[in-house]
Amino acid sequence: STPRIRAILTTPPTPTILTHATGTVFRAGALITYTGSSTDVEDGQLPASAFSWTVLFHHDSHIHPAGGPFTNTTSGALQIPTTGHDFQGSTNYEIVLTVTDSTGLTASRSVTVIPDKVDLTYDTVPSGLTVTIDGVSKQTPFVIDDLKGFQHTLGAPNQSSGGTAYTFASWSDGGAQSHGIVVPTVDQSYIATFQASSGPAGQVAAY
């Protein structure tokens, strides 16, 4: 007799990210909590041991690991930093949930949360001199798309340009030559004013 062959059909699990939804915006210092669930045709509701979470940081065309994998849990949290790597350009966090059923089949879902940013304009008087942001020198004028609530240290070092010496006089926000700021919730300008030494007698001209 011909042996009877039994076909066993299996299907991958169906993960669902309950919070947060794609497009959720965040500010520096925020705590992004995420939760998920998953069902499977053969196994029913999957336990926490089936879950694995990974967080990726997307910066323009690059991807950096930002956390995980976090296993054996149906939830977690992402703490948004207030210092360190900036959020300029096209940036976001991708939260990825991967679940595995009892037969070893896996499936993944992900959501993307995006930074809430403003434009900060930097300049000097006279324009074209250099300021520092977190120790990095940049020639003015320039604009940075910055994360609300992020923290920076601004500097306006004494410098020479075109054979003229420039000495720091003031910042438009009233801060010291080197001082910290917290990125505001609206667009803002930061202007450093310098005094220039000019003439053979070394007279000082204020701009």
Side-chain angles (χ1 to χ4, degrees), residues 57 75 77 82 116 160-161:
F57 181 65
S75 63
T82 57
D116 187 6
S160 295
S161 178

Side-chain angles (χ1 to χ4, degrees), residues 24 26 34 39 43 49 64 103 116 123 140 151 158 161 166 192 198 205:
T24 297
F26 62 83
Y34 47 86
T39 58
D43 298 336
S49 58
H64 309 277
T103 65
D116 187 6
D123 207 346
T140 63
Q151 299 174 18
N158 298 337
S161 178
Y166 294 94
S198 62

Side-chain angles (χ1 to χ4, degrees), residues 56-64 90-94 112:
L56 303 173
F57 181 65
H58 293 255
H59 187 189
D60 294 328
S61 60
H62 302 87
I63 300 176
H64 309 277
S90 177
T91 54
N92 61 69
Y93 284 106
E94 183 184 9
T112 298

Side-chain angles (χ1 to χ4, degrees), residues 31-34 55 70 75-79:
L31 187 68
I32 303 294
T33 57
Y34 47 86
V55 181
F70 306 112
S75 63
L78 169 64
Q79 180 71 56

Side-chain angles (χ1 to χ4, degrees), residues 51-120:
F51 286 63
S52 177
W53 300 87
T54 303
V55 181
L56 303 173
F57 181 65
H58 293 255
H59 187 189
D60 294 328
S61 60
H62 302 87
I63 300 176
H64 309 277
F70 306 112
T71 58
N72 300 307
T73 180
T74 60
S75 63
L78 169 64
Q79 180 71 56
I80 305 300
T82 57
T83 60
H85 196 294
D86 62 64
F87 288 82
Q88 297 175 43
S90 177
T91 54
N92 61 69
Y93 284 106
E94 183 184 9
I95 301 170
V96 183
L97 168 62
T98 300
V99 293
T100 306
D101 67 15
S102 62
T103 65
L105 292 177
T106 65
S108 298
R109 294 288 185 275
S110 70
V111 296
T112 298
V113 294
I114 58 178
D116 187 6
K117 298 193 286 186
V118 293
D119 286 335
L120 302 185

